[in-house]
Amino acid sequence: MSQPTYLVFRGCIIDTPALGTLRVRANGALGVNQLSGRIIGVADQETATSADLVSMWIGQAVDSSKVETVELSADQFLMPGLIDTHTHAPQFTFLGLGHDLPLMDWLEKYTFRHESQFKDAALASSFYKTAIARVVRNGVTFAAYYGTIHVEANCILADTIRNAGQRAFVGKVCMDVNSPSYYSETTEESLQRTEEFIHTVMGDNAGDESALVRPIITPRFVPTCSAECLQGLGQLAQKYNLPVQSHLCENPDEVAFAKSCFPKQKSYSDIYHMAGLYGPRTIMAHCVHMDDDDIELVRQCGVGVSHCPNSNFSLSSGMADVRRFIEHGIPVGLGTDVGGGYAPSILDAMRMAADANRALIATRRDARSKDTASKVVDATETKPSDAATDHTDAAPLNAAELLFLATQGGARVMGMHEQLGSLDQGKLFDAL
């Protein structure tokens, strides 16, 4: 018997079409075309048969044999798939290790050494199957992965993800300066290998935005990339119309190091911008220690922020101000940042994001109380930027906002919000 062309799910359907808006269709119906993988229609309180609903949604009569109904039980609901906007596939090899160290020391002691082992394709073949299966089990239907500098291992990673049925951006990591001799590449090698990886992963699907696995331009971060490397990657992003991912303002020492590498640039953000790496399809992870210049440039360019609270706590990097991003109209999603973060779970990221937001509010409240008690503050001494960054009285992130960040917010950060992130007609059916 042939597979039905259409699926109709009936029961409770939940999503967040806008920040802070929880949409619950308690007795809804949602139809999917299994050939295209897209939602053909959604309805509330429907009593019509599934075949009649499909006929209405597509505008022509459909025989009931072409339609399969999935009845959700009273304790089940349908929701958009979770989106992990920042994670490192090879770092599952040392998950949870080294969290007594700050970022730069942790990279030297653990990250570079473990990632360098993926020059062994056999390791990549065996290990990535386990790692990707674990991510999928955590309900992540779409993820932005960092690989390593090795083309063969990255291609294995892309194939493993595709075979698992997960949607993903996969990046070949680029690092040509300030890197250990056992794990580095020349500028020419970095750019050539990136283009080779792009061709291998894209194949004949260069213009297909719905392709399951796509490459993403991935400079590791400013301290390990020369100006020539960053500019070359910016040119590749434009040539192939690809998204970009990297790290920004994660740790105070990293920020100082990055600025020392490019002293002529106005801000950390300006370094990426001058290389042509900023745009509405750019994902910047962490963004904990952002000054006003960073914020404004990110806003102007439409760059998205991947908020990784587990990692930021684990490596003592700090607490990113999500409310500040939202107020400036900057897209925000959630990332697990394995292995800086110890859990490959977006549900954990939601909980941690709530904790970080509340801790930040409390910290600022207490700091302001101490300051008020110790001296009389002259209002004329307040800098213009103080009011923009002091969110002492900001409301804590609520459940609807956190679910938005985990789904539709993540889709915005990935530049895919018109394709997925909510359960609307015409979107790809990436759902749980």
Side-chain angles (χ1 to χ4, degrees):
M1 181 180 293
S2 61
Q3 184 182 37
T5 304
Y6 304 99
L7 282 178
V8 175
F9 293 85
R10 308 189 76 127
C12 185
I13 301 169
I14 299 174
D15 65 355
T16 54
L19 182 69
T21 300
L22 184 65
R23 180 168 57 183
V24 180
R25 300 176 174 102
N27 295 294
L30 181 146
V32 180
N33 183 322
Q34 296 203 86
L35 300 179
S36 67
R38 292 189 180 271
I39 299 170
I40 58 172
V42 188
D44 295 308
Q45 304 291 334
E46 275 297 337
T47 58
T49 67
S50 295
D52 286 344
L53 285 173
V54 171
S55 298
M56 177 183 68
W57 286 328
I58 69 172
Q60 65 183 58
V62 174
D63 188 88
S64 60
S65 64
K66 300 286 187 181
V67 181
E68 179 181 346
T69 299
V70 179
E71 295 282 357
L72 303 179
S73 64
D75 59 352
Q76 291 180 317
F77 61 89
L78 192 68
M79 63 169 283
L82 300 173
I83 298 176
D84 189 344
T85 59
H86 182 78
T87 192
H88 297 257
Q91 293 182 21
F92 276 77
T93 56
F94 61 101
L95 190 64
L97 296 181
H99 289 160
D100 56 322
L101 299 175
L103 173 66
M104 302 306 288
D105 294 339
W106 177 78
L107 289 171
E108 289 288 344
K109 184 173 181 179
Y110 292 97
T111 304
F112 296 151
R113 292 191 179 281
H114 279 265
E115 289 190 7
S116 70
Q117 295 173 4
F118 282 81
K119 63 185 177 183
D120 180 359
L123 171 64
S125 295
S126 61
F127 180 76
Y128 281 146
K129 289 180 183 178
T130 302
I132 300 309
R134 186 172 179 183
V135 176
V136 172
R137 284 199 305 272
N138 275 280
V140 175
T141 58
F142 185 18
Y145 288 100
Y146 286 60
T148 61
I149 67 174
H150 314 102
V151 173
E152 186 176 5
N154 291 325
C155 290
I156 290 169
L157 173 60
D159 287 341
T160 302
I161 295 166
R162 189 180 293 109
N163 292 337
Q166 187 186 47
R167 192 175 308 282
F169 292 156
V170 180
K172 178 220 162 291
V173 170
C174 298
M175 40 195 292
D176 68 328
V177 294
N178 299 320
S179 305
S181 58
Y182 62 83
Y183 189 51
S184 186
E185 53 193 352
T186 67
T187 305
E188 184 178 9
E189 287 172 340
S190 187
L191 297 176
Q192 286 181 347
R193 291 169 180 173
T194 296
E195 194 157 22
E196 178 186 348
F197 176 68
I198 290 169
H199 285 300
T200 302
V201 174
M202 289 175 70
D204 297 327
N205 298 316
D208 184 4
E209 291 289 333
S210 66
L212 205 58
V213 178
R214 304 195 77 221
I216 182 169
I217 299 298
T218 308
R220 175 166 224 115
F221 66 161
V222 162
T224 58
C225 294
S226 66
E228 293 76 16
C229 183
L230 292 173
Q231 290 166 1
L233 292 173
Q235 291 167 4
L236 288 176
Q238 294 172 18
K239 179 179 178 179
Y240 294 102
N241 189 30
L242 291 176
V244 175
Q245 63 179 355
S246 196
H247 303 78
L248 177 67
C249 298
E250 180 178 357
N251 171 283
D253 291 339
E254 166 236 357
V255 173
F257 190 7
K259 289 182 176 181
S260 72
C261 294
F262 292 83
K264 294 183 180 180
Q265 302 311 129
K266 185 177 181 181
S267 65
Y268 196 159
S269 278
D270 195 39
I271 301 168
Y272 289 116
H273 183 248
M274 67 87 184
L277 290 164
Y278 262 13
R281 302 180 71 199
T282 299
I283 307 164
M284 283 290 148
H286 304 295
C287 300
V288 177
H289 303 280
M290 302 275 279
D291 63 26
D292 289 346
D293 290 331
D294 288 313
I295 285 285
E296 182 57 20
L297 193 53
V298 164
R299 185 196 67 78
Q300 288 179 1
C301 296
V303 172
V305 170
S306 174
H307 179 38
C308 305
N310 187 313
S311 171
N312 294 338
F313 278 133
S314 296
L315 295 175
S316 303
S317 296
M319 296 176 287
D321 191 344
V322 172
R323 281 285 180 214
R324 185 184 182 197
F325 302 142
I326 292 171
E327 289 175 8
H328 283 81
I330 296 170
V332 187
L334 298 177
T336 60
D337 191 31
V338 169
Y342 56 77
S345 164
I346 291 297
L347 292 179
D348 171 84
M350 291 169 68
R351 289 189 288 265
M352 287 279 194
D355 290 343
N357 171 247
R358 289 164 185 154
L360 192 60
I361 291 171
T363 299
R364 287 176 173 165
R365 177 202 63 207
D366 294 348
R368 188 170 67 175
S369 297
K370 290 179 181 178
D371 186 60
T372 302
S374 64
K375 66 180 180 179
V376 176
V377 180
D378 185 348
T380 61
E381 294 178 353
T382 302
K383 297 178 181 179
S385 62
D386 289 344
T389 58
D390 183 8
H391 297 139
T392 306
D393 300 320
L397 293 169
N398 62 41
E401 290 173 317
L402 292 164
L403 182 59
F404 178 89
L405 296 181
T407 55
Q408 183 80 327
R412 287 187 65 202
V413 169
M414 305 277 250
M416 291 286 284
H417 54 287
E418 294 182 358
Q419 300 286 330
L420 44 82
S422 63
L423 299 179
D424 290 305
Q425 185 176 17
K427 288 195 172 185
L428 292 164
F429 184 61
D430 286 16
L432 301 174

